[in-house]
Each structure stands twice: as C-alpha cells, then as structure tokens.
Amino acid sequence: MRVNIPETGQKRIVIVGGGFGGLTLARKLSKSDFQVILIDKQNHHQFQPLFYQVAMAGLEPSSISFPFRKAFQNHPNIYFRIAEILKVDSENNKIVTSLGIINYDFLVLAYGAKTNFFGNEKIEEKAFSMKSTGAALDLRNTMLSDYEQALIESDFDERQWYIDIVIVGGGATGVEIAGALAEMRKYILPKDYKELNAKEVDIYLIQGGNQLLQGMDPKSGDTAEQYLIERGVIVKKNSRVVDYDGEYVITQSGEKIKAGKLIWAAGITCNRLEGITELSYNKANRLLVDKFNRVENYENIYAIGDMAAMISDEFPLGHPQVAQPAIQQAKNLARNFKKLNNKEDWKPFKYKDLGTMATIGRNKAVAEIGRFKIKGFFAWLIWLFIHLYALIGVRNKLIVFINWIWNYFTYDQSLRLIINPKSTSNRRKK
Ligand SMILES: Cc1cc2nc3c(=O)[nH]c(=O)nc-3n(C[C@H](O)[C@H](O)[C@H](O)COP(=O)(O)OP(=O)(O)OC[C@H]3O[C@@H](n4cnc5c(N)ncnc54)[C@H](O)[C@@H]3O)c2cc1C
C-alpha cells in the first residue's frame, strides 16, 4: 500500500494521533517550514470531555467532532492520512502504519490512552467504556432500548436488569455520568416512559478510594458526593468491582448488584508500541520524556499528552492525564521545532495549571481554579463556558450552546433516537 505523500525537501514531522495534543501541534506548525504529516485512526478529532453527554442523548456526536481535513483545508504543508501506527523503526527513521511505511525526520507520538480494565477480561468484554464516540453511542442505544424493554417487562427482577446502572470510578467522568443519569431519571423518564416507575431505576456509583474526584480537594469531592446523593445516586466508596458476568456486578466484599449496564470509568493506560524499547516506559505504560518531551533513549522521537510522563519533583508520576498538559506540551514543542532553523536553544516545558472541575448536572458543579474553590451555580457556569470555549469549530460551539440553552429551559432534549438498536457490547446472551 502507498501513503502517497510527496517528498518536498522540507524536514518532515510525523504526528501520530490528532487528539488535544496532536491537533494543537499540527495547527501550530501549519505555517512553518516543515512538512507535517498527521495520522489518526479516525478522520476527525473527538472532544472526549463531552462523550458522556452523547451517551446520555444530550448531544449529537457530530457536535463534538471535527474533521481533520476541514481543519487543514488552507494549509498546504499539512498532510492527513487515516492510518494506525503499528511499529517504529527508529534505526531507519520510519514508521509502519496500516497504510504503509512513512519516513520521518521527527516523530511525535500523541495517540493518547485507552481504558484500563486492570487485566479483567470478563469486565472488558461485558462493560461499557467511554473512550470513543462509538462507545458513547453504543451506550445511548443500549440504554434507550433497555428502557423500551423494561416497559413491557412484568417481572420485577428482570426489569431491574434493564434499568439499573452501575458506574465504576468516581473521577470526573464517573461523577458526570452519574449526575446526567440522575437528571434523565428525574426529568425525562416520567415524560417519555410514563408507564415505567422512575423510582425503580437505581444508579450506583462505585469508587475504590474514600473520596470522589480524587485529584481535587477532599471538600470538592464531598460536595460532589452530596450533590449526587441529593439526586438519588447510590454512592459506594471504598468498594471495588471485581467481576461482572453481564448479569450481576460483584464487589470485593461479595455484594451482588443485578444490572444490565456496567459503565467502566475506573482508569486509563497506554498502548505499548512495537519498536520502542521497554526502557522508555514507566509502570503505567506512559513514555518517559525529558523536559522537551523527547522520549528517553531516542534523539528524534517525542511524546505528548496522556501517553507522556515527564517526571519532576512536582509531578512524580507525570502530569495529570487531562487536556491542558497535552495542549500546552504541543504548543511548547511547536515553538521549539520552529527554533531549529535559527539554531536557538529549546525552551523546557512548564505546566500552567488552569484548574480542575466537574459538573454534577443542572446548576451544580465543583471547580478549583488556583487557590479558589467554587461550587454550585457559579462553578457550573464556569464549566459550561470553559467547555464551550475549548470545543473545536464555531459551528460546534453554536450547536452545543443552543442545545444547552434549550435543555436548560425545557428540561428536555430531543435526541433520544435509537439509531442502531443492536449493541456491539456482548452483555448476556438471552
Ligand atoms: C470520557 C472522558 C472525559 C474526559 N473529561 C475531561 C475533562 O472534563 N477535562 C479534561 O481536561 N480532560 C478530560 N478527559 C481527558 C482528556 O480527554 C485527555 O487527557 C486528552 O484527550 C489527552 O489528549 P491526547 O492528545 O494525549 O490524546 P487524545 O485526545 O486521546 O487523542 C488521541 C488520538 O490518537 C488517535 N489514535 C489512537 N490510537 C491510534 C493509533 N494506534 N494510530 C493512530 N491514531 C491513534 C485517536 O483516534 C485520537 O484522535 C476526559 C477523557 C475521557 C475519555
């Protein structure tokens, strides 16, 4: 197979992955003297922080996605190919991709992280995750189909299987899903599924540690927990899910919860790449990088974002795996690449923490910005505007904004279409 990219005589930077890090880097290099090749296994950038709203039928996937080709329409030095990286041949400065071989002068790995099931294959097979638009849509279709089934199911236990949901992981993703589900139960179910007793729908949030939102101040975790409890979510802390057979969720203490949907939001890990020495990885499968994001043991291979671990006294495990480090590392690396022509010294990366936040639903959020800890309506407004600002594309910003305003005043959205009623997840065989 041929990748069909001309050799232009320019130095070539190959970027693998067009997430927050890769897309920012490519954009920042779009007016440079480099030939930039971006590869991604999808043809579009995905705004992961809003996956859960797609899963909860609050937003359409198109409004949180942005096609790469559109991003680079007016930039002749940027080439995009839909391809997966398979292997690195660092001796010969080449990567092997699903489309063929691509040579590089500089390689930037930015292909992010994947859900960590901690080796539990059964859970991996049966659970829903939240790591792609497809996964979010799968959950949406299954959830809506299950409500339909529950309506016609007369057996109480069987009905519980269709309607009860267990979420594992009390980080921002788990908390946000639980909050959105609780709102759906309160505002949507009584209107859409009148014959279903919404009080029968149990939403569990199971967290291994003793605090929700563990990266945040314990007070923010407590506030989030309080908000969830007020919304009727059953929060179980210091509890670990050890098994799920598609029928029952089993915790370490032996508790059994009957539920047809287990949403796994308990952690992430990275894919190792053939051709990169084991010595360059840390225990969490992240690539160890120096303060310029150069991968240890390589001269011209870089890693940014979720997959990079830049170890320092302040960040002994690397930076948090959230959007800002990826974006900021990409910007710094782009600036440094541009210095190559003038043989200027490179600038080490310095992380600027812009804050952490999570929303628990309408008017409720927690946010930590610098030394300020904010909660409630004001935090929720900040959450809304920061997410709108961060979305790529004016059209997307507008559509999401209109959707949110509509939802806010009508207590409703109208996206509850089951487009593909057949779930790709393999729950129980009936
Ligand atoms: C559900 C969810 C909610 C989140 N909420 C927040 C939030 O509220 N705030 C926040 O700051 N962060 C949040 N995050 C984390 C944030 O999305 C990540 O930290 C950020 O996306 C990391 O950026 P990245 O560039 O490293 O990788 P990603 O953005 O993950 O991008 C990786 C890209 O690489 C591509 N790719 C993957 N494998 C390959 C391959 N083999 N070959 C080619 N291409 C490949 C993917 O298609 C993707 O486009 C959330 C994450 C998830 C999953």
Side-chain angles (χ1 to χ4, degrees):
M1 235 180 297
R2 286 179 61 231
V3 182
N4 196 21
I5 296 172
E7 297 283 349
T8 55
Q10 293 165 297
K11 288 271 181 214
R12 180 182 275 188
I13 299 175
V14 175
I15 305 169
V16 181
F20 282 107
L23 180 60
T24 306
L25 180 62
R27 285 180 138 185
K28 292 286 165 192
L29 292 171
S30 63
K31 289 197 178 96
S32 69
D33 297 332
F34 295 100
Q35 184 190 44
V36 179
I37 299 172
L38 172 66
I39 70 163
D40 197 295
K41 56 184 184 179
Q42 320 257 14
N43 83 333
H44 56 274
H45 169 81
Q46 313 176 101
F47 191 77
Q48 299 181 16
L50 293 180
F51 275 163
Y52 84 96
Q53 295 210 1
V54 171
M56 298 301 125
L59 291 174
E60 277 301 352
S62 59
S63 45
I64 62 157
S65 312
F66 197 79
F68 291 121
R69 295 211 170 275
K70 186 164 170 52
F72 301 115
Q73 274 173 350
N74 302 318
H75 302 288
N77 70 323
I78 312 258
Y79 294 79
F80 171 71
R81 292 290 180 270
I82 301 178
E84 261 189 68
I85 188 163
L86 304 174
K87 190 178 162 180
V88 180
D89 174 1
S90 59
E91 297 269 297
N92 298 302
N93 288 344
K94 289 180 194 315
I95 56 169
V96 181
T97 76
S98 50
L99 275 188
I101 289 172
I102 305 176
N103 58 307
Y104 62 83
D105 293 296
F106 303 96
L107 173 65
V108 183
L109 299 173
Y111 60 79
K114 61 175 183 176
T115 307
N116 191 356
F117 292 94
F118 303 97
N120 193 322
E121 286 173 14
K122 240 163 113 190
I123 293 182
E124 183 168 355
E125 187 195 349
K126 306 277 180 192
F128 291 86
S129 68
M130 199 60 68
K131 210 56 189 110
S132 67
T133 317
L137 272 178
D138 188 19
L139 178 57
R140 171 175 116 179
N141 288 328
T142 308
M143 192 173 61
L144 297 176
S145 305
D146 281 358
Y147 287 140
E148 296 293 335
Q149 288 299 317
L151 271 185
I152 51 171
E153 180 58 66
S154 53
D155 180 77
F156 176 78
D157 270 355
E158 195 57 14
R159 214 163 47 240
Q160 292 304 113
W161 185 83
Y162 282 116
I163 57 182
D164 286 359
I165 301 190
V166 176
I167 303 147
V168 183
T173 302
V175 163
E176 292 184 348
I177 297 172
L181 275 170
E183 295 216 322
M184 192 176 215
R185 176 177 60 186
K186 183 168 176 190
Y187 299 116
I188 308 293
L189 290 194
K191 285 193 282 191
D192 269 22
Y193 302 91
K194 294 183 282 295
E195 308 91 308
L196 196 67
N197 181 359
K199 289 197 184 111
E200 282 185 2
V201 178
D202 293 324
I203 303 160
Y204 296 85
L205 177 62
I206 301 189
Q207 161 72 333
N210 63 356
Q211 185 203 316
L212 298 186
L213 302 176
Q214 255 169 0
M216 297 180 81
D217 189 272
K219 278 193 192 138
S220 301
D222 291 348
T223 306
E225 184 178 345
Q226 199 49 43
Y227 287 156
L228 287 173
I229 291 170
E230 282 165 15
R231 283 166 154 69
V233 174
I234 304 162
V235 179
K236 290 178 180 279
K237 294 186 294 183
N238 297 310
S239 176
R240 277 202 313 115
V241 168
V242 291
D243 199 6
Y244 180 54
D245 59 2
E247 198 74 27
Y248 289 98
V249 178
I250 317 264
T251 68
Q252 197 178 26
S253 62
E255 187 182 2
K256 281 173 89 176
I257 304 167
K258 188 169 176 118
K261 286 174 287 299
L262 172 73
I263 303 173
W264 191 261
I268 52 174
T269 183
C270 299
N271 273 327
R272 289 202 174 192
L273 184 58
E274 198 182 331
I276 297 284
T277 168
E278 293 225 343
L279 301 173
S280 298
Y281 289 96
N282 73 358
K283 280 191 190 139
N285 284 341
R286 293 173 84 181
L287 281 168
L288 295 160
V289 295
D290 66 12
K291 55 194 178 200
F292 306 106
N293 283 92
R294 195 185 339 244
V295 176
E296 275 189 14
N297 305 305
Y298 297 93
E299 275 300 307
N300 56 349
I301 302 182
Y302 298 79
I304 55 175
D306 276 3
M307 56 185 311
M310 191 185 292
I311 308 295
S312 62
D313 291 343
E314 200 183 344
F315 298 102
L317 300 173
H319 295 95
Q321 285 163 297
V322 289
Q324 273 306 317
I327 293 169
Q328 293 179 28
Q329 286 173 359
K331 286 181 179 168
N332 191 59
L333 187 55
R335 274 193 298 265
N336 282 334
F337 276 140
K338 287 180 187 170
K339 288 177 185 214
L340 277 173
N341 283 345
N342 306 328
K343 300 201 165 50
E344 288 174 60
D345 287 342
W346 279 31
K347 209 174 144 199
F349 175 68
K350 182 123 187 52
Y351 178 50
K352 193 166 170 221
D353 187 355
L354 298 184
T356 322
M357 56 191 66
T359 178
I360 299 93
R362 172 180 290 263
N363 299 341
K364 297 274 189 263
V366 287
E368 292 175 9
I369 300 166
R371 55 196 172 82
F372 299 105
K373 296 184 179 41
I374 310 154
K375 61 181 183 178
F377 180 69
F378 190 47
W380 180 72
L381 273 187
I382 297 175
W383 184 95
L384 288 184
F385 281 105
I386 285 187
H387 282 75
L388 263 187
Y389 176 76
L391 257 176
I392 311 250
V394 179
R395 177 187 165 278
N396 286 355
K397 288 185 208 287
L398 216 64
I399 290 179
V400 170
F401 182 64
I402 293 169
N403 245 285
W404 284 348
I405 296 276
W406 182 266
N407 298 352
Y408 190 76
F409 288 109
T410 61
Y411 288 79
D412 202 353
Q413 356 78 0
S414 34
L415 303 174
R416 292 185 293 281
L417 308 177
I418 304 171
I419 304 289
N420 168 20
K422 265 215 166 334
S423 170
T424 51
S425 73
N426 176 17
R427 295 189 293 167
R428 68 175 171 188
K429 305 261 189 287
K430 290 203 81 181

